[in-house]
Amino acid sequence: MKGVGVSITLKNVRYFVAVAEMESISRAVQDLNVSQSVVTEAIRALEDDLGVLLFTRHARGMSLTHAGYQFLRHAHQILASVRHAREALSTRPDAVTGQLNIGVTSLVCGYFLPYLLERFRSTFPQVDVRVVEDQRDYIEHLLVNGELDAAVLIVSNVQNRQALHTEVLQQSSYRLWLPSGHRLLDGGVVTLSDLADQPLVALKLDELEDVATALWRQIGRKPQLAVRTASVEAMRSLVATGAGLAIMPDVLYRPWSLEGDRLEVLPLQEATPTLEVGVVWRRGMQVSDNTHNFLTLAREYSRSHKQTFS
Protein backbone atom coordinates (compact mmCIF):
# COMPACT_ATOMS: atom_id res chain seq x y z
CA MET A 1 0.00 0.00 0.00
CA LYS A 2 1.60 3.25 -1.14
CA GLY A 3 2.72 5.73 1.53
CA VAL A 4 2.77 3.26 4.43
CA GLY A 5 6.51 2.69 4.18
CA VAL A 6 6.40 -1.13 4.27
CA SER A 7 8.76 -1.42 1.27
CA ILE A 8 11.58 0.71 2.68
CA THR A 9 13.74 -1.92 4.30
CA LEU A 10 17.46 -1.76 4.98
CA LYS A 11 18.01 -4.53 2.46
CA ASN A 12 16.15 -2.60 -0.24
CA VAL A 13 18.09 0.56 0.56
CA ARG A 14 21.37 -1.36 0.35
CA TYR A 15 20.39 -2.84 -3.03
CA PHE A 16 19.41 0.62 -4.29
CA VAL A 17 22.79 2.09 -3.32
CA ALA A 18 24.62 -0.77 -5.05
CA VAL A 19 22.69 -0.26 -8.30
CA ALA A 20 23.17 3.53 -8.10
CA GLU A 21 26.93 3.14 -7.70
CA MET A 22 27.33 0.38 -10.33
CA GLU A 23 24.79 2.00 -12.72
CA SER A 24 23.67 -1.51 -13.59
CA ILE A 25 21.58 -4.20 -11.92
CA SER A 26 23.64 -6.99 -13.50
CA ARG A 27 26.88 -5.57 -12.12
CA ALA A 28 25.29 -4.88 -8.72
CA VAL A 29 24.08 -8.47 -8.26
CA GLN A 30 27.62 -9.76 -8.72
CA ASP A 31 28.73 -7.66 -5.78
CA LEU A 32 25.62 -8.39 -3.69
CA ASN A 33 25.63 -12.14 -4.46
CA VAL A 34 21.85 -12.27 -4.97
CA SER A 35 19.64 -12.93 -7.98
CA GLN A 36 18.80 -10.18 -10.45
CA SER A 37 15.08 -10.63 -9.80
CA VAL A 38 15.56 -9.89 -6.08
CA VAL A 39 17.30 -6.58 -6.81
CA THR A 40 14.80 -5.65 -9.53
CA GLU A 41 11.91 -6.27 -7.13
CA ALA A 42 13.65 -4.22 -4.39
CA ILE A 43 14.02 -1.21 -6.70
CA ARG A 44 10.42 -1.55 -7.89
CA ALA A 45 9.18 -1.74 -4.28
CA LEU A 46 11.10 1.41 -3.35
CA GLU A 47 9.76 3.33 -6.32
CA ASP A 48 6.20 2.20 -5.60
CA ASP A 49 6.51 3.19 -1.96
CA LEU A 50 8.13 6.57 -2.64
CA GLY A 51 5.87 7.33 -5.58
CA VAL A 52 8.75 8.41 -7.82
CA LEU A 53 11.07 6.93 -10.43
CA LEU A 54 14.55 6.47 -8.99
CA PHE A 55 16.23 5.30 -12.22
CA THR A 56 16.02 5.83 -15.93
CA ARG A 57 16.43 2.47 -17.69
CA HIS A 58 18.42 2.32 -20.91
CA ALA A 59 20.37 -0.23 -22.94
CA ARG A 60 23.66 0.46 -21.19
CA GLY A 61 22.23 0.20 -17.68
CA MET A 62 20.59 2.45 -15.08
CA SER A 63 20.89 6.20 -14.53
CA LEU A 64 19.64 8.04 -11.45
CA THR A 65 16.79 10.49 -11.90
CA HIS A 66 16.72 13.77 -9.97
CA ALA A 67 14.60 12.05 -7.32
CA GLY A 68 17.06 9.17 -7.34
CA TYR A 69 19.97 11.50 -6.56
CA GLN A 70 17.95 12.97 -3.69
CA PHE A 71 17.12 9.57 -2.26
CA LEU A 72 20.73 8.38 -2.66
CA ARG A 73 21.90 11.07 -0.23
CA HIS A 74 19.37 9.91 2.37
CA ALA A 75 20.17 6.25 1.68
CA HIS A 76 23.85 6.83 2.49
CA GLN A 77 22.80 8.55 5.74
CA ILE A 78 20.49 5.66 6.65
CA LEU A 79 23.17 3.03 6.12
CA ALA A 80 25.78 5.12 7.96
CA SER A 81 23.45 5.56 10.95
CA VAL A 82 22.82 1.83 11.14
CA ARG A 83 26.55 1.13 10.85
CA HIS A 84 27.34 3.58 13.66
CA ALA A 85 24.62 2.07 15.83
CA ARG A 86 26.04 -1.41 15.35
CA GLU A 87 29.53 -0.17 16.19
CA ALA A 88 28.27 1.55 19.33
CA LEU A 89 26.37 -1.54 20.48
CA SER A 90 29.36 -3.78 19.82
CA THR A 91 31.50 -1.73 22.22
CA ARG A 92 31.21 -2.76 25.85
CA PRO A 93 30.43 0.29 28.03
CA ASP A 94 33.00 -0.75 30.64
CA ALA A 95 35.68 -0.71 27.93
CA VAL A 96 34.99 2.87 26.80
CA THR A 97 37.80 5.28 27.71
CA GLY A 98 38.56 8.97 27.25
CA GLN A 99 37.59 12.12 29.08
CA LEU A 100 34.38 14.03 29.73
CA ASN A 101 34.40 17.65 30.92
CA ILE A 102 31.17 18.80 32.56
CA GLY A 103 30.27 22.26 33.87
CA VAL A 104 27.75 22.95 36.64
CA THR A 105 26.58 25.73 38.90
CA SER A 106 26.41 25.36 42.68
CA LEU A 107 22.71 24.57 42.87
CA VAL A 108 22.81 21.91 40.16
CA CYS A 109 26.00 20.41 41.58
CA GLY A 110 24.27 19.73 44.87
CA TYR A 111 20.81 18.65 43.75
CA PHE A 112 20.92 17.16 40.26
CA LEU A 113 24.41 16.32 39.03
CA PRO A 114 25.32 13.65 41.65
CA TYR A 115 22.65 11.27 40.34
CA LEU A 116 23.73 11.76 36.72
CA LEU A 117 27.39 11.22 37.55
CA GLU A 118 26.66 8.09 39.55
CA ARG A 119 24.74 6.63 36.61
CA PHE A 120 27.42 7.63 34.09
CA ARG A 121 30.36 6.37 36.15
CA SER A 122 28.70 3.05 36.88
CA THR A 123 27.99 2.57 33.15
CA PHE A 124 31.31 3.93 31.80
CA PRO A 125 33.79 3.37 34.65
CA GLN A 126 36.90 3.89 32.50
CA VAL A 127 35.96 7.41 31.36
CA ASP A 128 37.74 10.20 33.23
CA VAL A 129 34.99 12.65 34.27
CA ARG A 130 36.03 16.15 35.30
CA VAL A 131 33.58 18.67 36.74
CA VAL A 132 33.96 22.44 36.83
CA GLU A 133 31.67 24.30 39.25
CA ASP A 134 31.31 28.04 38.74
CA GLN A 135 28.90 30.87 37.98
CA ARG A 136 26.51 30.35 35.09
CA ASP A 137 28.03 33.06 32.88
CA TYR A 138 31.54 31.59 33.25
CA ILE A 139 30.28 28.08 32.48
CA GLU A 140 28.70 29.49 29.32
CA HIS A 141 32.05 31.07 28.42
CA LEU A 142 33.85 27.72 28.82
CA LEU A 143 31.26 25.96 26.68
CA VAL A 144 31.54 28.49 23.86
CA ASN A 145 35.35 28.23 23.96
CA GLY A 146 35.19 24.45 23.71
CA GLU A 147 36.76 23.91 27.14
CA LEU A 148 33.72 21.97 28.35
CA ASP A 149 31.87 19.19 26.53
CA ALA A 150 28.51 19.89 28.17
CA ALA A 151 26.99 21.49 31.26
CA VAL A 152 24.05 20.89 33.56
CA LEU A 153 22.47 24.25 34.35
CA ILE A 154 19.26 26.09 35.04
CA VAL A 155 18.62 26.45 31.34
CA SER A 156 15.89 29.05 31.83
CA ASN A 157 18.74 31.41 32.82
CA VAL A 158 21.07 30.66 29.88
CA GLN A 159 21.90 33.87 28.02
CA ASN A 160 24.01 32.94 24.97
CA ARG A 161 21.35 30.95 23.13
CA GLN A 162 22.78 31.76 19.71
CA ALA A 163 25.94 29.82 20.53
CA LEU A 164 24.53 27.23 22.93
CA HIS A 165 21.97 24.48 22.54
CA THR A 166 19.77 23.78 25.56
CA GLU A 167 17.58 20.79 26.39
CA VAL A 168 15.23 20.76 29.38
CA LEU A 169 15.39 17.69 31.62
CA GLN A 170 13.27 18.79 34.56
CA GLN A 171 10.78 21.59 35.25
CA SER A 172 9.82 23.01 38.62
CA SER A 173 7.26 25.58 39.76
CA TYR A 174 7.80 28.12 42.55
CA ARG A 175 5.81 28.01 45.77
CA LEU A 176 5.93 29.65 49.18
CA TRP A 177 7.85 27.85 51.93
CA LEU A 178 6.68 28.49 55.49
CA PRO A 179 6.95 26.84 58.91
CA SER A 180 4.40 24.40 60.26
CA GLY A 181 1.57 26.20 62.08
CA HIS A 182 1.96 29.53 60.27
CA ARG A 183 -1.29 31.52 60.08
CA LEU A 184 -1.13 31.77 56.26
CA LEU A 185 -1.63 28.01 56.01
CA ASP A 186 -5.30 28.48 56.90
CA GLY A 187 -6.06 30.17 53.57
CA GLY A 188 -4.74 27.44 51.25
CA VAL A 189 -3.36 29.99 48.76
CA VAL A 190 -1.52 33.29 49.19
CA THR A 191 -0.83 36.44 47.21
CA LEU A 192 2.32 38.53 47.22
CA SER A 193 0.33 41.24 48.99
CA ASP A 194 -0.24 38.77 51.86
CA LEU A 195 3.54 38.60 52.24
CA ALA A 196 4.21 42.34 52.23
CA ASP A 197 4.64 42.50 56.03
CA GLN A 198 6.31 39.08 56.37
CA PRO A 199 10.08 38.60 56.89
CA LEU A 200 11.56 36.74 53.94
CA VAL A 201 14.62 34.57 53.40
CA ALA A 202 16.40 34.90 50.03
CA LEU A 203 18.70 32.34 48.42
CA LYS A 204 21.81 33.85 46.83
CA LEU A 205 22.36 30.90 44.50
CA ASP A 206 22.14 30.45 40.73
CA GLU A 207 20.30 33.74 40.28
CA LEU A 208 17.21 32.43 42.08
CA GLU A 209 16.99 35.67 44.02
CA ASP A 210 16.35 37.47 40.71
CA VAL A 211 13.11 35.51 40.23
CA ALA A 212 11.71 36.58 43.59
CA THR A 213 12.77 40.18 42.93
CA ALA A 214 10.96 40.15 39.57
CA LEU A 215 7.79 38.86 41.25
CA TRP A 216 7.80 41.72 43.75
CA ARG A 217 8.41 44.19 40.96
CA GLN A 218 5.11 43.08 39.38
CA ILE A 219 3.12 44.55 42.27
CA GLY A 220 5.40 47.49 42.91
CA ARG A 221 6.43 46.39 46.41
CA LYS A 222 9.73 45.69 48.12
CA PRO A 223 10.19 42.43 50.05
CA GLN A 224 11.05 42.58 53.76
CA LEU A 225 14.30 40.62 53.57
CA ALA A 226 15.37 39.16 56.90
CA VAL A 227 18.20 36.88 55.78
CA ARG A 228 20.13 36.26 52.56
CA THR A 229 21.99 32.96 52.40
CA ALA A 230 23.84 30.85 49.81
CA SER A 231 22.95 27.58 51.54
CA VAL A 232 19.76 25.67 50.73
CA GLU A 233 20.04 23.69 53.96
CA ALA A 234 20.40 26.92 55.94
CA MET A 235 17.33 28.31 54.17
CA ARG A 236 15.28 25.25 55.13
CA SER A 237 16.33 25.61 58.76
CA LEU A 238 15.63 29.36 58.78
CA VAL A 239 12.15 28.91 57.31
CA ALA A 240 11.30 25.93 59.50
CA THR A 241 12.24 27.79 62.69
CA GLY A 242 10.27 30.92 61.77
CA ALA A 243 13.07 33.28 60.76
CA GLY A 244 11.25 34.08 57.51
CA LEU A 245 9.30 32.78 54.54
CA ALA A 246 10.77 31.95 51.13
CA ILE A 247 9.62 31.72 47.52
CA MET A 248 11.49 28.72 46.15
CA PRO A 249 11.28 26.14 43.33
CA ASP A 250 9.76 22.77 44.19
CA VAL A 251 12.87 20.91 43.05
CA LEU A 252 14.57 22.11 46.25
CA TYR A 253 11.69 21.41 48.60
CA ARG A 254 12.05 18.84 51.36
CA PRO A 255 9.43 18.60 54.15
CA TRP A 256 12.05 18.56 56.92
CA SER A 257 15.10 20.62 57.82
CA LEU A 258 18.33 18.95 58.94
CA GLU A 259 17.25 19.56 62.54
CA GLY A 260 13.96 17.76 61.95
CA ASP A 261 11.69 20.82 61.84
CA ARG A 262 8.73 20.71 59.46
CA LEU A 263 8.37 22.90 56.35
CA GLU A 264 5.09 23.50 54.55
CA VAL A 265 4.37 24.89 51.07
CA LEU A 266 1.57 26.99 49.57
CA PRO A 267 0.87 28.01 45.97
CA LEU A 268 1.02 31.66 45.01
CA GLN A 269 -1.99 33.23 43.33
CA GLU A 270 0.27 35.20 41.01
CA ALA A 271 1.74 33.44 37.99
CA THR A 272 5.31 32.37 38.69
CA PRO A 273 8.06 31.43 36.24
CA THR A 274 9.16 27.83 35.79
CA LEU A 275 12.65 26.75 36.78
CA GLU A 276 14.10 24.50 34.08
CA VAL A 277 17.12 22.29 34.73
CA GLY A 278 18.77 20.78 31.69
CA VAL A 279 21.85 20.08 29.64
CA VAL A 280 23.71 22.61 27.51
CA TRP A 281 26.33 22.18 24.81
CA ARG A 282 27.85 24.32 22.06
CA ARG A 283 25.92 24.61 18.82
CA GLY A 284 27.62 23.26 15.72
CA MET A 285 30.24 21.26 17.57
CA GLN A 286 30.96 17.62 16.81
CA VAL A 287 29.58 15.80 19.83
CA SER A 288 32.07 13.22 21.12
CA ASP A 289 31.00 9.68 21.95
CA ASN A 290 31.41 10.35 25.68
CA THR A 291 29.34 13.53 25.46
CA HIS A 292 26.67 11.70 23.48
CA ASN A 293 26.60 8.94 26.10
CA PHE A 294 26.27 11.50 28.89
CA LEU A 295 23.39 13.28 27.14
CA THR A 296 21.64 9.95 26.50
CA LEU A 297 21.92 8.92 30.15
CA ALA A 298 20.70 12.35 31.27
CA ARG A 299 17.59 11.98 29.11
CA GLU A 300 16.98 8.46 30.37
CA TYR A 301 17.38 9.59 33.98
CA SER A 302 15.00 12.49 33.43
CA ARG A 303 12.30 10.22 31.97
CA SER A 304 12.56 7.71 34.83
CA HIS A 305 12.85 10.24 37.68
CA LYS A 306 10.10 12.78 37.07
CA GLN A 307 9.65 14.44 40.47
CA THR A 308 6.30 15.03 42.09
CA PHE A 309 5.76 17.34 45.04
CA SER A 310 3.08 17.73 47.67
Side-chain angles (χ1 to χ4, degrees):
M1 182 167 55
K2 183 180 287 188
V4 176
V6 293
S7 301
I8 301 183
T9 67
L10 285 175
K11 186 176 292 185
N12 287 356
V13 171
R14 189 164 64 250
Y15 291 170
F16 163 77
V17 171
V19 174
E21 292 177 346
M22 298 290 185
E23 297 185 335
S24 166
I25 289 181
S26 58
R27 287 194 294 270
V29 297
Q30 296 175 14
D31 186 61
L32 294 169
N33 196 28
V34 295
S35 68
Q36 184 165 327
S37 62
V38 169
V39 176
T40 300
E41 176 59 25
I43 299 301
R44 186 199 64 77
L46 277 175
E47 290 181 326
D48 285 349
D49 189 81
L50 295 170
V52 296
L53 285 177
L54 298 174
F55 293 99
T56 300
R57 281 79 171 168
H58 50 77
R60 295 185 304 277
M62 310 273 281
S63 298
L64 285 170
T65 63
H66 176 70
Y69 277 111
Q70 289 183 305
F71 186 68
L72 180 62
R73 176 169 55 89
H74 293 291
H76 281 304
Q77 292 174 349
I78 291 169
L79 296 179
S81 296
V82 172
R83 184 173 63 255
H84 294 157
R86 285 174 175 161
E87 291 171 354
L89 292 173
S90 67
T91 303
R92 289 172 45 197
D94 59 358
V96 175
T97 60
Q99 186 170 313
L100 177 67
N101 299 303
I102 299 295
V104 291
T105 52
S106 299
L107 179 65
V108 172
C109 189
Y111 291 90
F112 200 80
L113 184 68
Y115 309 103
L116 296 183
L117 287 186
E118 189 279 331
R119 177 74 63 88
F120 186 88
R121 284 171 169 153
S122 64
T123 306
F124 303 98
Q126 300 302 317
V127 176
D128 179 21
V129 181
R130 301 183 182 182
V131 178
V132 176
E133 178 188 332
D134 215 301
Q135 298 293 320
R136 188 262 314 149
D137 54 353
Y138 185 62
I139 295 297
E140 289 191 36
H141 167 75
L142 295 179
L143 285 168
V144 172
N145 282 357
E147 298 175 61
L148 292 174
D149 299 308
V152 185
L153 303 172
I154 297 178
V155 297
S156 41
N157 289 346
V158 169
Q159 297 296 311
N160 196 348
R161 293 182 179 269
Q162 288 187 332
L164 298 174
H165 182 84
T166 65
E167 183 174 328
V168 177
L169 297 177
Q170 190 174 74
Q171 294 181 318
S172 179
S173 300
Y174 282 78
R175 288 194 287 180
L176 177 69
W177 293 10
L178 61 174
S180 181
H182 196 281
R183 63 175 179 81
L184 289 176
L185 288 168
D186 296 334
V189 66
V190 294
T191 66
L192 289 175
S193 297
D194 295 331
L195 308 180
D197 61 346
Q198 296 288 325
L200 298 175
V201 181
L203 185 64
K204 302 184 298 179
L205 200 61
D206 271 17
E207 305 165 70
L208 293 187
E209 193 174 7
D210 296 342
V211 174
T213 301
L215 287 174
W216 285 102
R217 193 178 298 121
Q218 290 179 17
I219 64 169
R221 303 286 289 272
K222 282 190 174 183
Q224 303 297 317
L225 289 180
V227 184
R228 297 174 71 241
T229 177
S231 168
V232 178
E233 296 300 340
M235 165 164 281
R236 290 198 189 104
S237 296
L238 289 164
V239 172
T241 55
L245 311 182
I247 299 173
M248 283 286 105
D250 280 335
V251 70
L252 301 181
Y253 175 70
R254 306 291 183 272
W256 305 97
S257 70
L258 287 178
E259 297 79 17
D261 297 307
R262 176 79 183 181
L263 283 87
E264 305 287 351
V265 290
L266 282 177
L268 286 167
Q269 193 173 78
E270 289 84 0
T272 60
T274 300
L275 180 139
E276 298 176 334
V277 177
V279 285
V280 185
W281 64 97
R282 193 179 71 186
R283 290 186 183 275
M285 80 172 200
Q286 184 174 358
V287 177
S288 68
D289 289 342
N290 284 331
T291 304
H292 175 76
N293 291 333
F294 178 78
L295 295 174
T296 299
L297 285 179
R299 293 169 186 135
E300 291 174 356
Y301 178 85
S302 175
R303 285 193 293 269
S304 61
H305 290 73
K306 292 296 183 184
Q307 296 197 32
T308 57
F309 303 91
S310 59

